[in-house]
Amino acid sequence: MNSQRSFIGFIVAGAIALLVIAIAGFYWFFAKSPANLIASTSQPGAAIFVSKLSPAMVSLLANPDRLQALDREEELSKLKTSLFAKSGIDYKQDVQPWLGNEITLAIATLDIDRDSENGQQPGYLLALATKQREKSREFVELLFSKRALAGATLAVEQYKGVKLISDNQPKEDLLAGAVVGEGFVLFANDPKVLRDAINNVQAPDLNLTSSPEYQKATKELPKGGLAVAFLNLPVVAKWQGLELPEQLYNSQIISLALNPKGLLAETTFLTSSEILSPSSSLSKPVGALQYVPASAGLAISGSNLSNLGNSDLAKLWRQATATVYGSGEDVVSRLAKPLVDVQKRWGINLPEDIFSWVQGEYAVALLPEKEQATPHWIFVVEKSESVEEGVARLDAIASSNGLSINTLTIDKQDKQKISAWTELTTATTKSDVKEGTSFTIETKVRGLHTALGNYEIFTSDLETMDEILTTKDNNSLIDNPNFKDSIAAISLPNQGYIYLDWTKSQNLLERQVPILKLAEVLGKPFFDNLRSLTVSSYGTDTRSLKGGVFFQFNNS
């Protein structure tokens, strides 16, 4: 009996793990065989079995055997072995001959019996495309016969012309299966889920393909995507037991596609409300990036921060983080801790005291160091009258906090005038004099700024300012080949970039977001080879927000 337990659990976990492995391997497989790994369709055919009220559906649109070439560390082989060994099934003999070009996993319902008093039991539906109906039918019968030999009592029923097989395993291990039509093998964790799936096909207004939100979302899918996921955001929030304070976007669709330099995940958020068209689209990277050293671990660039808090992108961020964390404020404070620390130390409000006067180009960067927990920071902003007023305002805030404003130069940059916000402190030392104590005065730099070209540059410390002045002409981020490759994959025009160098920022991010370590364990092949990721938003549709994340890997 034990060898047959939780087969549906293994299948569900296997489908998810298969997608993770696929993502982890795409980065180097593309260079070997780009033409052989293109999905024949960009939309999952199994959507006809899924209810329009389903919170989530994810699909792999390629046969997993075509991914075998990417299996450098035999992760895919290990998955197959662990998945089918517990069921007494031989993958190569019993599954491979009939398995087609789609694997779709959906949360079919939040509660199978719709009875809140006995707890919530989600219904899972797994659809496997078949290219040989008879072979797949033999597989289903073989699987359940093995479960019967292990002690289960089978139940067979005809439902609307479809033969359903299920067993009487304990509720958490129950399995039901069927071959539907000529195209799919279905498995679920309850026969009711299969009956609902068949109803969804025969009453088209019930299934996902009839949903206007899904129809709009699939129009955004690129051709040749290898995996796609669709999320019904209000239902996802309900699934998590959350009451969102702000619900702007109704659905999200995500696609994964290969790129000569890595993997591009494109996503579109859709809303039934009219949203503001992005006001600051850029046709090329902002010039402010020329003052960000290539050593930066994180860089954010764009144009116009003055209305950031009320933008649709900010509303999306609050909705998304509240869905995942239950609170948007907590995750923001974790990810932007260096900036939060500056706010507290200076007694300033970033949106009011800084963002409000940034109406041109800007770049923000963090330069992590292994020796210290808090990274150095850089803020570059395009000059304007509002910037001059903003700098004067910061000087006044610095003075009110007891800081002095001094002008200085760095030895090798003696022509560059730098304004520094400094603090005088005293230090005591032991003395041979009878009184026993002597005092020294130390000057601590709390921030600096200077003007270069058409930009005002702010930094956290002298070392960082020196690096900017020394390397601005030949070692900036905008000239870095990895950065160039990353942004080349993102559509233009766009609203700027968030660029994260994973190798430089990994330690910092792990300190600020502890759950990330768990994600790294689950997606080890992916994170072990990840070099960087670049995020951007683009598009001008007033009822959707579109963006992309480009993953670059070490061997790409």
Side-chain angles (χ1 to χ4, degrees):
M1 177 74 74
N2 289 338
S3 64
Q4 301 298 322
R5 290 176 63 83
S6 300
F7 181 70
I8 189 66
F10 283 108
I11 283 187
V12 170
I16 296 172
L18 189 61
L19 293 176
V20 172
I21 291 171
I23 294 171
F26 285 163
Y27 76 94
W28 67 272
F29 181 67
F30 184 88
K32 292 184 176 183
S33 185
N36 294 330
L37 197 57
I38 298 176
S40 57
T41 178
S42 61
Q43 298 185 28
I48 60 173
F49 301 108
V50 180
S51 166
K52 65 172 65 176
L53 300 179
S54 166
M57 179 184 74
V58 59
S59 303
L60 177 65
L61 302 177
N63 189 296
D65 290 322
R66 298 172 68 187
L67 308 180
Q68 193 69 49
L70 61 81
D71 201 12
R72 291 189 304 175
E73 298 183 7
E74 300 185 348
E75 295 289 341
L76 191 57
S77 297
K78 293 175 185 176
L79 173 63
K80 291 176 182 176
T81 300
S82 64
L83 179 61
F84 293 102
K86 294 183 179 296
S87 63
I89 295 294
D90 182 286
Y91 173 82
K92 188 172 183 180
Q93 177 180 320
D94 301 324
V95 179
Q96 191 179 60
W98 59 265
L99 187 60
N101 293 324
E102 179 180 337
I103 299 176
T104 289
L105 174 65
I107 302 169
T109 178
L110 297 182
D111 192 9
I112 294 174
D113 62 9
R114 298 179 176 84
D115 184 357
S116 59
E117 293 184 0
N118 61 6
Q120 190 177 71
Q121 185 195 9
Y124 297 100
L125 178 69
L126 179 71
L128 308 173
T130 176
K131 54 189 178 184
Q132 293 189 38
R133 186 180 188 278
E134 285 306 309
K135 287 285 186 182
S136 56
R137 182 184 57 79
E138 292 172 4
F139 166 75
V140 173
E141 293 184 352
L142 173 65
L143 172 62
F144 280 96
S145 67
K146 288 182 176 292
R147 292 172 73 86
L149 290 173
T153 301
L154 301 185
V156 180
E157 66 172 298
Q158 289 289 331
Y159 185 76
K160 296 187 177 180
V162 178
K163 181 180 179 181
L164 306 184
I165 306 178
S166 59
D167 56 40
N168 68 341
Q169 296 279 30
K171 191 173 183 180
E172 64 272 14
D173 299 313
L174 193 151
L175 178 67
V179 179
V180 182
E182 299 295 326
F184 283 94
V185 177
L186 303 183
F187 290 104
N189 59 335
D190 194 284
K192 187 178 186 306
V193 175
L194 290 186
R195 289 193 288 269
D196 287 344
I198 294 169
N199 291 339
N200 290 336
V201 176
Q202 298 188 358
D205 59 318
L206 298 177
N207 67 47
L208 193 56
T209 59
S210 68
S211 164
E213 289 290 328
Y214 183 75
Q215 292 172 3
K216 288 190 294 183
T218 53
K219 290 180 181 179
E220 303 293 334
L221 289 173
K223 294 182 179 179
L226 291 171
V228 61
F230 178 76
L231 302 176
N232 186 329
L233 297 178
V235 185
V236 170
K238 181 180 178 182
W239 182 30
Q240 299 298 313
L242 299 173
E243 292 290 337
L244 299 182
E246 191 169 17
Q247 179 73 60
L248 176 62
Y249 296 95
N250 302 320
S251 60
Q252 177 188 9
I253 197 160
I254 307 165
S255 68
L256 299 179
L258 295 176
N259 179 284
K261 298 294 183 179
L263 177 70
L264 178 63
E266 286 197 298
T267 184
T268 302
F269 294 86
L270 296 110
T271 176
S272 55
S273 304
E274 194 82 6
I275 61 175
L276 297 175
S277 178
S279 58
S280 303
S281 292
L282 304 168
S283 57
K284 62 181 181 179
V286 300
L289 286 169
Q290 66 186 295
Y291 298 108
V292 175
S295 59
L298 172 68
I300 303 171
S301 61
S303 179
N304 192 358
L305 286 171
S306 61
N307 192 40
L308 180 64
N310 296 319
S311 68
D312 294 312
L313 191 60
K315 293 177 182 178
L316 168 63
W317 176 255
R318 289 194 291 270
Q319 179 178 331
T321 53
T323 301
V324 175
Y325 291 89
S327 168
E329 183 178 353
D330 180 65
V331 69
V332 170
S333 63
R334 287 176 180 270
L335 291 174
K337 190 173 185 300
L339 298 181
V340 173
D341 291 343
V342 170
Q343 276 195 119
K344 291 179 179 178
R345 187 186 310 125
W346 282 43
I348 62 174
N349 180 289
L350 285 175
E352 294 179 7
D353 297 324
I354 296 182
F355 296 168
S356 62
W357 46 263
V358 179
Q359 299 176 0
E361 295 180 358
Y362 70 88
V364 180
L366 299 180
L367 283 67
E369 283 194 3
K370 293 182 179 180
E371 293 77 15
Q372 62 181 50
T374 303
H376 305 308
W377 55 263
I378 300 168
F379 179 44
V380 185
V381 58
E382 188 177 14
K383 286 182 179 178
S384 68
E385 288 185 11
S386 62
V387 170
E388 291 182 8
E389 296 172 358
V391 172
R393 186 174 179 179
L394 289 180
D395 285 341
I397 293 174
S399 295
S400 67
N401 280 282
L403 301 180
S404 301
I405 303 172
N406 300 294
T407 300
L408 54 85
T409 60
I410 301 175
D411 289 343
K412 50 191 172 184
Q413 304 288 344
D414 57 356
K415 293 183 180 180
Q416 184 66 40
K417 301 299 181 182
I418 301 169
S419 295
W421 297 303
T422 61
E423 179 182 13
L424 295 179
T425 61
T426 59
T428 60
T429 57
K430 290 186 178 180
S431 173
D432 293 334
V433 181
K434 189 174 182 179
E435 287 75 5
T437 305
S438 63
F439 294 89
T440 59
I441 297 177
E442 296 180 352
T443 302
K444 291 186 177 181
V445 175
R446 296 302 187 187
L448 308 99
H449 66 93
T450 189
L452 279 176
N454 196 38
Y455 297 89
E456 190 77 21
I457 301 172
F458 302 81
T459 67
S460 56
D461 53 89
L462 279 167
E463 292 80 7
T464 303
M465 181 64 80
D466 181 51
E467 185 174 0
I468 294 171
L469 298 175
T470 303
T471 65
K472 65 179 185 297
D473 296 325
N474 53 20
N475 195 27
S476 66
L477 184 64
I478 203 169
D479 296 319
N480 182 283
N482 292 335
F483 179 75
K484 285 183 175 181
D485 288 342
S486 294
I487 64 174
I490 303 293
S491 296
L492 286 171
N494 57 48
Q495 280 78 58
Y497 306 101
I498 299 175
Y499 175 77
L500 175 69
D501 188 311
W502 174 249
T503 56
K504 296 172 183 174
S505 301
Q506 181 178 1
N507 292 335
L508 171 65
L509 291 173
E510 286 174 346
R511 287 195 298 268
Q512 306 301 342
V513 189
I515 197 174
L516 187 59
K517 290 186 178 181
L518 175 60
E520 290 174 42
V521 172
L522 296 176
K524 189 175 185 299
F526 178 86
F527 286 100
D528 282 352
N529 295 286
L530 180 63
R531 175 190 292 167
S532 67
L533 61 89
T534 305
V535 183
S536 184
S537 62
Y538 38 85
T540 57
D541 189 345
T542 58
R543 292 191 181 273
S544 67
L545 183 63
K546 190 170 185 177
V549 183
F550 181 70
F551 300 92
Q552 191 177 34
F553 299 92
N554 288 323
N555 291 348
S556 59

